Amino acid sequence: SVRGPGTSPPTALQWHQLIVRAISVVVKGWRNSGRRLIPGLITPNNIVVPEPDFRKGAVQNNLTGWKHYDGPLSLIRPLWRNIYVHTLSHYPWISSYLEEQWIFEAFTEAIGVEDSLLWFYELRDELDSQPGHNLGMEFRKALDSFVNDLETKYYLPRPLKGAIGRFAEWQRINLQANVKAKLNTIEELFRLYRLERLGDIARFTLFRWTFFQETNLNFLDIFDRLLMRMFRHPQLRATQMVELSELQANLPGPDDRIAFNRMVFPDRRQDENLEVADIGTGDVNKVVVRSIVCDENKKEYVVCEPASPAEVGQLYRLFLQAGFPKSISAADHFLVTRDESEQIIGGVVYRHQDDSVVFLDGIVVSQALWERGIASALLTDFTTRMAHLKIKTLRTHFFLRQFYQRHGFRVDSRKGGLIRNL
């Protein structure tokens, strides 16, 4: 306990990280035994948790004293008594912010959301069949509340909570920090806690509770609706959701727009002009990402998905006019390029070969605009879009080898054609 003069006691975040990490060590040991053994003596003295909280390496010192696993209570009872209750008995002054649900978070961290839910259901059944479990009514209330949240809301992983908490500490010290400093700190925390492994919803949640935390209530309500939709529809990208376009439309100021672009398009250069547009009609919602490319004369063109089948037809017509041997396929995906008068002057056709490989079937530009560097700009834009979608490999035809090799493609002698790893 650090409560002497001139010292600051551990914060609620520090206690949270410590206890969740300590209990997770034991749960992982049980998991790694094939869920057959309870590893070692479950006491705080037998667990080492390194600081700071983004470091790996929490371990149990000694596995002596292991026992056979005999249902959920045989594991949860010693964890509850020897770590949670034991901590409270030694440091009663932390009772105001020590939360019962931390023990359940540790299970979720160790075995994942789906498996932990199944295990919690087993635990509830065992609690019902053994009313003399001696864990107390608060334990059961905390369990039911946590399970309900896990079923209906996005679970904030421990590293994400740590990153949000550290940003709050940084902001309290750096009250005058500008937008660049804030965004750099957020990105540093994103890397430090390795949040990229948690998917797009973790990045959006990090921005929601850091940069945008003090934005107006209407904006935050839209943001929360977006996060809920991302949670309920993980198969969709955020850029396919109308809530994202609504969020963009309600950005309070230019600094917020910079942060929005960094959140939605982390792989883009900071100076690129991007927006999310809702082009739906009636009861049909359709959201597209619009980007800006420039030719060698700095003239700007808009790149986005086609708004209608007619625009797809115009793109195919450009391929035919250019003498490009392009056949029509139901598997094709498209990007079209518009000039300042909204005329389609070029575009890209591609198709997915699997979850990580895309075949680039062709890039076309209107003959009147050849030799202006537009095709190169479209290829650069396309590769950035694919990298944002977690595509690992681009493949394309061999016959335009000189053009593609200037942009990082190489000959794939095993499968033929050209290939570029992103």
Side-chain angles (χ1 to χ4, degrees):
S1 178
V2 283
R3 303 183 70 200
T7 62
S8 299
T11 64
L13 174 65
Q14 290 172 320
W15 276 111
H16 169 268
Q17 298 285 324
L18 175 65
I19 290 178
V20 171
R21 294 170 74 198
I23 297 175
S24 293
V25 170
V26 179
V27 179
K28 289 177 181 177
W30 162 73
R31 178 201 65 190
N32 293 340
S33 73
R35 303 191 177 190
R36 294 176 299 169
L37 303 175
I38 299 174
L41 295 174
I42 301 178
T43 66
N45 293 334
N46 194 32
I47 301 172
V48 177
V49 178
E51 291 188 288
D53 60 328
F54 50 79
R55 282 185 58 192
K56 296 180 179 180
V59 295
Q60 265 185 284
N61 279 330
N62 197 324
L63 298 181
T64 303
W66 61 267
K67 298 178 181 179
H68 286 287
Y69 175 72
D70 186 27
L73 276 176
S74 68
L75 178 57
I76 200 76
R77 186 180 282 117
L79 288 170
W80 176 256
R81 290 178 176 174
N82 299 351
I83 295 183
Y84 185 86
V85 176
H86 179 89
T87 301
L88 273 177
S89 66
H90 280 73
Y91 310 106
W93 50 272
I94 70 170
S95 60
S96 61
Y97 52 67
L98 197 65
E99 300 179 20
E100 293 89 350
Q101 71 173 21
W102 292 355
I103 192 170
F104 309 123
E105 287 188 37
F107 276 84
T108 307
E109 291 294 327
I111 61 178
V113 172
E114 293 183 5
D115 284 349
S116 63
L117 267 176
L118 295 176
W119 191 86
F120 293 145
Y121 296 152
E122 291 182 35
L123 174 60
R124 288 203 297 198
D125 291 341
E126 193 167 355
L127 289 172
D128 291 339
S129 65
Q130 298 186 31
H133 51 73
N134 296 325
L135 293 176
M137 290 299 296
E138 293 303 317
F139 177 89
R140 180 56 188 263
K141 290 179 181 178
L143 173 61
D144 289 341
S145 175
F146 186 80
V147 168
N148 180 69
D149 287 346
L150 208 58
E151 292 171 332
T152 59
K153 301 176 183 177
Y154 171 62
Y155 169 75
L156 267 67
R158 183 195 61 79
L160 179 55
K161 283 187 174 181
I164 292 171
R166 284 200 177 256
F167 182 86
E169 293 175 358
W170 175 87
Q171 194 168 37
R172 280 194 294 270
I173 298 171
N174 300 275
L175 295 175
Q176 304 301 319
N178 59 25
V179 61
K180 182 177 180 181
K182 290 180 181 180
L183 292 177
N184 288 342
T185 301
I186 291 171
E187 292 182 353
E188 180 181 352
L189 290 169
F190 191 84
R191 292 190 296 269
L192 202 61
Y193 283 89
R194 301 181 296 279
L195 299 183
E196 70 282 347
R197 57 199 165 97
L198 302 177
D200 287 348
I201 192 170
R203 186 175 69 255
F204 278 65
T205 303
L206 177 63
F207 272 83
R208 159 63 175 86
W209 291 101
T210 54
F211 190 93
F212 294 111
Q213 167 66 5
E214 298 178 0
T215 317
N216 65 74
L217 293 179
N218 178 60
F219 181 85
L220 294 179
D221 177 66
I222 299 170
F223 209 144
D224 290 338
R225 286 194 282 111
L226 170 65
L227 291 174
M228 181 58 73
R229 185 147 191 238
M230 292 176 72
F231 166 70
R232 291 176 175 172
H233 302 279
Q235 77 281 5
L236 297 178
R237 301 190 303 273
T239 51
Q240 295 175 295
M241 299 179 180
V242 69
E243 291 85 355
L244 187 63
S245 176
E246 187 179 355
L247 190 70
Q248 178 184 255
N250 285 272
L251 288 166
D255 287 351
D256 301 286
R257 182 169 295 276
I258 293 172
F260 176 86
N261 283 338
R262 294 276 280 274
M263 174 183 72
V264 180
F265 311 106
D267 300 312
R268 290 276 181 170
R269 297 194 316 271
Q270 297 180 22
D271 59 347
E272 287 185 288
N273 189 1
L274 298 164
E275 67 173 7
V276 181
D278 180 6
I279 60 171
T281 56
D283 296 329
V284 179
N285 292 326
K286 184 175 182 180
V287 178
V288 298
V289 177
R290 288 177 173 167
S291 55
I292 303 295
V293 298
C294 297
D295 63 17
E296 294 176 350
N297 298 321
K298 306 300 181 183
K299 185 176 180 179
E300 295 184 347
Y301 303 87
V302 175
V303 182
C304 64
E305 296 175 25
S308 66
E311 293 190 348
V312 175
Q314 293 177 49
L315 181 60
Y316 274 124
R317 188 177 301 113
L318 286 176
F319 276 104
L320 291 174
Q321 291 172 351
F324 196 100
K326 177 74 192 77
S327 58
I328 298 175
S329 170
D332 285 346
H333 295 265
F334 313 94
L335 294 171
V336 295
T337 308
R338 298 187 179 92
D339 62 14
E340 57 188 6
S341 62
E342 292 294 312
Q343 296 297 309
I344 293 178
I345 57 88
V348 178
V349 179
Y350 65 99
R351 58 180 177 271
H352 292 268
Q353 294 189 320
D354 60 38
D355 291 341
S356 62
V357 180
V358 160
F359 186 84
L360 175 55
D361 205 8
I363 297 176
V364 68
V365 176
S366 172
Q367 293 183 20
L369 298 174
W370 284 4
E371 306 298 331
R372 296 192 185 185
I374 298 176
S376 295
L378 287 178
L379 180 55
T380 300
D381 179 88
F382 177 74
T383 56
T384 304
R385 285 173 179 263
M386 294 301 103
H388 175 69
L389 298 179
K390 311 304 180 186
I391 298 299
K392 302 298 183 183
T393 304
L394 296 180
R395 305 182 64 83
T396 192
H397 299 288
F398 184 79
F399 62 86
L400 291 176
R401 182 175 57 178
Q402 290 185 348
F403 171 74
Y404 285 112
Q405 284 186 323
R406 291 200 304 270
H407 295 86
F409 285 77
R410 58 180 175 81
V411 176
D412 184 353
S413 57
R414 187 165 60 91
K415 294 185 177 181
L418 302 173
I419 187 172
R420 175 176 169 179
N421 295 321
L422 301 181

